[in-house]
Amino acid sequence: MLDTIAENQPDRRPAILVCIYEADDPLSAALDTEGGAVWAPAGARVRAQGPDEPTALADVITRQIGEADCRAVLLVGRTRKSNSFRVQMRAENRTPTGGAKVSITGPAMARATAPAAEIVRELIEAGLAADATSDSEEDVGSYLLYRILTALPDNADAPSVGLLRVPALIDGEQLRRGVQTAAAAMARHLSPLPRARLS
């Protein structure tokens, strides 16, 4: 009976969309808890988004981030250039296979809006090797980051968008800790939703 009132109250926690975009990758277990539920950082809700064809996935994410309660996107994939976690700070105007441009009229590159320095600091404090980089890998992750960033509204209230790259060789516990630490660092910058956004 005590839970009845709480269940009827709107959830004012902002949502963070965590997209693990590579198919058949054990990264998908990074958001699981021991009880099998989807993990969530303090003060935020997690929407888990799985892989899809890159163009369709970019459209799905862009549509979701246009919703009032979705305030952040964390893309999660692999790095092929480092043995550390990497926060990619920008994406170039390139297709996933490189060479051709995503957009003829779009900017040459787009900068991530996630708090890269804080994410790296908290990963290191969690005992994980990590750095931030402007080096863009030519793959689906960079393509998605570019597409999402260039679709954001041009205002100060733009959502936080970042790309976390995970080392290819890493055990399950470190993988889980890294993804959850990065998501929690982003979530700390999100404020509760105003009541108007919930109607």
Side-chain angles (χ1 to χ4, degrees):
M1 294 295 290
L2 294 176
D3 292 333
T4 304
I5 294 175
E7 289 176 358
N8 292 332
Q9 296 296 323
D11 191 339
R12 296 183 62 232
R13 295 176 302 163
I16 176 170
L17 178 66
V18 179
C19 176
I20 295 165
Y21 55 81
E22 295 184 3
D24 302 321
D25 194 309
L27 279 170
S28 59
L31 294 177
D32 294 340
T33 63
E34 290 183 4
V38 175
W39 170 87
R45 293 174 289 130
V46 166
R47 288 185 189 172
Q49 175 67 52
D52 200 345
E53 186 276 325
T55 302
L57 186 55
D59 291 340
V60 167
I61 296 171
T62 299
R63 186 165 56 251
Q64 288 195 54
I65 207 169
E67 298 173 6
D69 66 331
C70 188
R71 303 301 303 139
V73 174
L74 177 62
L75 301 169
V76 183
R78 297 289 180 169
T79 178
R80 286 132 186 110
K81 295 186 175 183
S82 175
N83 292 322
S84 302
F85 283 88
R86 307 193 89 187
V87 179
Q88 186 172 315
M89 296 188 297
R90 69 177 193 173
E92 297 178 357
N93 186 356
R94 292 282 180 268
T95 60
T97 55
K101 291 185 176 182
V102 174
S103 170
I104 299 299
T105 58
M109 66 94 174
R111 293 192 179 277
T113 55
E118 184 170 335
I119 294 171
V120 169
R121 183 175 65 249
E122 296 200 16
L123 287 168
I124 292 171
E125 288 175 358
L128 301 167
D131 61 24
T133 180
S134 294
D135 189 12
S136 179
E137 299 186 30
E138 293 183 350
D139 65 0
V140 172
S142 294
Y143 167 80
L144 291 172
L145 184 62
Y146 181 87
R147 282 280 313 273
I148 295 163
L149 289 170
T150 55
L152 290 179
D154 190 17
N155 59 45
D157 198 30
S160 177
V161 179
L163 170 54
L164 177 69
R165 293 190 177 275
V166 178
L169 299 176
I170 190 171
D171 66 44
E173 174 53 34
Q174 288 180 313
L175 186 156
R176 181 178 290 105
R177 191 166 9 125
V179 173
Q180 293 183 4
T181 296
M186 290 178 70
R188 271 190 284 283
H189 287 264
L190 307 179
S191 56
L193 300 173
R195 296 181 190 279
R197 285 188 172 176
L198 299 172
S199 59

